[in-house]
Every structure is written in C-alpha cells, then in structure tokens.
C-alpha cells in the first residue's frame, strides 16, 4: 500500500449519506467494551450532522443496538447493529433482531473457562460471539484456535473474523457492506453518495461497497492493506474531519491521506 503526501480534500458539493463505525472510529478502544463513554460534544455533533443530512446518517457497528442506545443515550440514530444482523431503519422505529443459535451460550461458557483470564473478555452478542484480547494480546492466537474449533458446532454459514485485538464468530450474512446497501435503498439515503468511516478488518467489506457506489471510504489508523481510499490518523482527527466537512465550511476540512492502489 503506497500512501501519497497528506491531502486535505473537502467533500465535493453533492448529496451525501454518512455511515459510521463506532469503536476505534468515534471512540477510542478500551480493554472492555463497557469502559468507554460518549461526550456530550460528540452527541451534539452527531445530532447536528443528522439534521444537516436530513436524516441520512447511520451507525454501522459490531455492537448491539441496545448497547449503542445505552452508550449514546438519549441520542438515537438509524443503525445496523451486530454487523447488520440487527437494524433500526428510523430513529424511532422498531428493532429487527436475529436469533441466537442454540449452542452459542454453551460455546461462550467453554471458551471463557478455557481462557480463564480477567484480561480476556468474552462478549455474548446473541448470534455473534466476540473474544476481546486487547489487554492480553498473547492470548489472541489461542482465542482464534478456540473459535475456529467451535465452527463445527454452529449452523452452516458461520465464519471467523480476526480483528486488531480480538476474534469473532458470526454468520456470513453479518456484513457491513450489506447493511450499507440496504440503507442506500431507503429514504433518506436513496440518491445520495455514501461516505463510510471505519477502523478494523470488519469494516473492509463496507469500504468495498462504498467504493463500488462511487463514494468515499476512510480508514482510521490504517494498518497494512485496506480497501479504503483514504486514511485518517486517529479518532480525534476523524471527529475533526466530520465536523469540518459536515458542520463547518468545507474550506476548513481536516487532513486525510489518500490511498493509492488500495481498493481502486
């Protein structure tokens, strides 16, 4: 992946739809998912952007919708949770949820017992099982072995997704790109160009979808190969870029590095 010198492109004039990952994009990662908090400034920023985009703003996240609502309370936005296994298509609309496989709870118990470390967190998210090893990176390989071995006990169509600091079990239909495509077929997103910010392996499918639609794909803290066309250095810079492009005059847009030969 070759990276050119820093560029500072504001979004060109047009009608945009904005899709946002949360952890590592809007919020710094923590060893435990519950150890993060949302500032009032971030809530106000998102509320302002949603209003300026006439509602064409949605979270695309691996967290459950219930967890996101608790984190951002009282703000509620359109959202695809659990990588698109859950949807809320309107801020005040119902939640479409997926069922948990019968063996998932027992698998979670066994993996938790096997790892037996306070530094490893086994997150149970219904049909998705996440093993967080950010505080114990030496256990990532073992956690990956355990979830790969668990595949044969789950329904067909489950897969293992390795992230920056953990590993997850999820159905094949759990894909951020599919969630973005669904929103783009609905008001107020239809007819707009998509922008997606993410930071992890699970966001790559979303970057590919946005690229195919002629949109803007941005990876925060890029590591290695990525389909994203642009990069932003860190969470603070990502928030500043959002504010500059969706709230402030475009001439004040923040710095983004263009990716050459990545996803193009």
């Amino acid at each position: 992946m070759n990276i050119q010198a820093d560029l500072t492109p504001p979004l060109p004039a047009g009608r945009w739809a904005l899709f946002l990952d949360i952890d590592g994009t809007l919020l710094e990662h923590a060893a435990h998912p519950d150890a993060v908090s949302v500032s009032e400034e971030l809530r106000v920023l998102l509320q302002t952007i949603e209003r300026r985009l006439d509602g064409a703003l949605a979270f695309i996240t691996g967290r459950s919708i219930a967890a996101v609502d608790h984190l951002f309370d009282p703000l509620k936005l359109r959202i695809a949770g659990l990588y698109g296994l859950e949807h809320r298509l309107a801020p005040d609309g119902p939640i479409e949820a997926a069922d948990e496989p019968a063996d998932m709870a027992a698998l979670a118990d066994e993996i938790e017992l096997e790892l037996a470390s306070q530094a490893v967190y086994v997150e149970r998210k219904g049909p998705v099982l996440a093993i967080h090893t950010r505080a114990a990176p030496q256990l990532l390989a073992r956690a990956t072995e355990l979830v790969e071995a668990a595949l044969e006990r789950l329904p067909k169509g489950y897969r293992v997704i390795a992230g920056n600091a953990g590993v997850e079990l999820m159905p094949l239909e759990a894909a951020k790109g599919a969630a973005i495509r669904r929103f783009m077929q609905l008001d107020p997103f239809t007819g707009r160009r998509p922008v997606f910010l993410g930071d992890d392996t699970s966001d790559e499918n979303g970057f590919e979808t946005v690229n195919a639609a002629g949109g803007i794909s941005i990876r925060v803290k890029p590591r290695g190969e990525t389909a994203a066309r642009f990069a932003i250095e860190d969470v603070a810079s990502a928030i500043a870029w959002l504010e500059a492009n969706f709230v402030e005059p475009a001439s004040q847009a923040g710095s983004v590095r263009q990716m050459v030969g990545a996803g193009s």
Side-chain angles (χ1 to χ4, degrees):
M1 176 179 63
N2 297 319
I3 301 177
Q4 279 188 340
D6 285 358
L7 301 177
T8 56
L11 291 179
R15 299 175 69 242
W16 295 95
L18 181 60
F19 300 98
L20 297 171
D21 173 51
I22 295 174
D23 294 281
T25 300
L26 297 178
L27 302 175
E28 295 288 358
H29 280 294
H32 193 292
D34 293 340
V36 298
S37 61
V38 175
S39 68
E40 183 61 21
E41 289 79 9
L42 179 56
R43 289 189 187 90
V44 170
L45 173 63
L46 294 171
Q47 189 174 44
T48 301
I49 293 173
E50 189 211 23
R51 184 171 62 250
R52 295 202 172 192
L53 291 177
D54 297 320
L57 167 63
F59 287 134
I60 310 290
T61 177
R63 287 182 181 260
S64 69
I65 292 177
V68 173
D69 283 349
H70 176 73
L71 187 60
F72 284 85
D73 184 61
L75 178 65
K76 285 189 177 181
L77 299 175
R78 292 169 174 83
I79 179 172
L82 301 182
Y83 307 99
L85 295 177
E86 295 182 337
H87 286 85
R88 183 172 63 221
L89 303 178
D92 57 352
I95 295 174
E96 302 174 11
D99 295 328
E100 177 181 328
D103 286 340
M104 187 64 86
L107 280 173
D109 290 342
E110 293 170 16
I111 291 173
E112 201 166 43
L113 182 63
E114 171 70 20
L115 295 176
S117 169
Q118 292 183 351
V120 173
Y121 173 53
V122 179
E123 186 179 11
R124 303 157 192 254
K125 301 190 284 187
V128 176
L129 182 64
I131 316 299
H132 299 274
T133 60
R134 186 169 300 277
Q138 73 279 6
L139 294 177
L140 177 57
R142 180 56 180 154
T144 303
E145 291 175 359
L146 291 172
V147 296
E148 288 176 344
L151 278 175
E152 63 186 34
R153 293 174 51 183
L154 292 172
K156 288 184 178 180
Y158 259 73
R159 60 177 173 165
V160 175
I161 298 292
N164 294 332
V167 60
E168 296 187 82
L169 270 173
M170 66 182 73
L172 287 172
E173 61 266 28
K176 291 190 174 185
I180 291 172
R181 284 193 296 273
R182 182 176 183 188
F183 275 115
M184 289 299 294
Q185 294 172 358
L186 304 171
D187 288 333
F189 299 89
T190 184
R192 294 171 177 263
R193 290 178 65 191
V195 178
F196 177 47
L197 276 70
D199 80 303
D200 209 344
T201 307
S202 60
D203 297 307
E204 291 295 323
N205 176 258
F207 298 146
E208 292 167 358
T209 295
V210 166
N211 292 344
I216 302 288
S217 55
I218 303 172
R219 183 153 176 172
V220 182
K221 300 180 184 177
R223 306 170 185 83
E225 296 296 324
T226 179
R229 298 272 175 81
F230 295 90
I232 286 182
E233 294 292 343
D234 51 33
V235 169
S237 299
I239 292 173
W241 187 86
L242 290 171
E243 185 172 18
N245 282 276
F246 292 98
V247 178
E248 298 174 359
S251 61
Q252 299 179 30
S255 177
V256 182
R257 294 180 299 162
Q258 187 171 30
M259 301 263 181
V260 178
S264 56

